[in-house]
Amino acid sequence: NAGVTQTPKFRVLKTGQSMTLLCAQDMNHEYMYWYRQDPGMGLRLIHYSVGEGTTAKGEVPDGYNVSRLKKQNFLLGLESAAPSQTSVYFCASSSPTGTKYQETQYFGPGTRLLVL
Amino acid sequence: QKEVEQDPGPLSVPEGAIVSLNCTYSNSAFQYFMWYRQYSRKGPELLMYTYSSGNKEDGRFTAQVDKSSKYISLFIRDSQPSDSATYLCAMSAGFNKFYFGSGTKLNVKP
């Protein structure tokens, strides 16, 4: 049981380049999330999904797109990277209420992104 | 005003000390309260989970929720150098929407 995994672990981009971050979970969770973590800012929600084929905007969605084509995968895309998107990106998943640990999230190890 | 406030620290204590970490919040609808531990360059890992008010104990860790004061605490007894990490509080009013504190950095000195 791997939990939540993220690919890649680290990436350097030049301004204007695009990339996709992949998140996968094997816990059969319905909900998945993308956060960014910056010093002093805590975790900020970018986009989230409440099920396969659905996505919604979070607190800081601008410059990012997401897709949830399969229940176990959640992709985060940067179409034209900017230096302000230099951050650590975390994916998380959770199960709906009614389960043992309802309303808790499980996080991946993170992807460090540097945009030059 | 932020939904969740957390003192960023850093907090430095000697090994064996009792550590108290705290968060305050403004939304009285929060019912689910969590503490995460995050080691340097790692993802947050769930440490404690509490539903509604009261205390919960797990080994050296105790989580307390005081909904009347909108205040939650995490106590670490007999702190160890391996407890050195950033501790994040998180809470939810339901529907799987979570609010996080900015984290308190803890350093336990041998």
Side-chain angles (χ1 to χ4, degrees), chain A residues 13 17 36 38 61-64 77-89 113-115:
Chain A
L13 288 179
Q17 286 185 319
R36 59 178 289 173
D38 303 290
D62 294 341
Y64 306 95
L78 285 75
E79 290 184 348
S80 179
S84 60
Q85 294 178 304
T86 292
S87 187
V88 182
Y89 292 85
L113 176 65
L114 175 61
V115 183

Side-chain angles (χ1 to χ4, degrees), chain A residues 25 28-32 49-55 67-74:
Chain A
Q25 54 95 3
N28 201 33
H29 284 171
E30 290 292 333
Y31 298 80
M32 297 187 74
S49 168
V50 299
E52 183 178 320
T54 72
T55 63
S67 64
R68 183 102 179 264
L69 298 179
K70 293 183 179 181
K71 184 178 182 180
Q72 64 267 34
N73 295 337
F74 196 28

Side-chain angles (χ1 to χ4, degrees), chain A residues 31 33 35 37 40-43 90 94-97 101-109 112, chain B residues 2 32 34 36 38 40-44 46 49 56 88 92 94-98 100-102:
Chain A
Y31 298 80
Y33 312 77
Y35 292 90
Q37 187 176 42
M41 303 289 288
L43 287 161
F90 288 103
S94 69
S95 53
T97 55
Y101 284 112
Q102 56 186 317
E103 300 295 330
T104 61
Q105 288 186 318
Y106 296 87
F107 285 83
R112 294 183 173 274
Chain B
K2 285 185 180 179
Y32 305 91
M34 292 139 276
Y36 288 85
Q38 185 176 21
S40 181
R41 306 178 81 87
K42 300 288 186 184
L46 183 65
Y49 165 82
K56 185 172 183 179
L88 301 163
S92 169
F95 308 108
N96 281 262
K97 188 171 183 183
F98 300 87
F100 287 84
S102 55

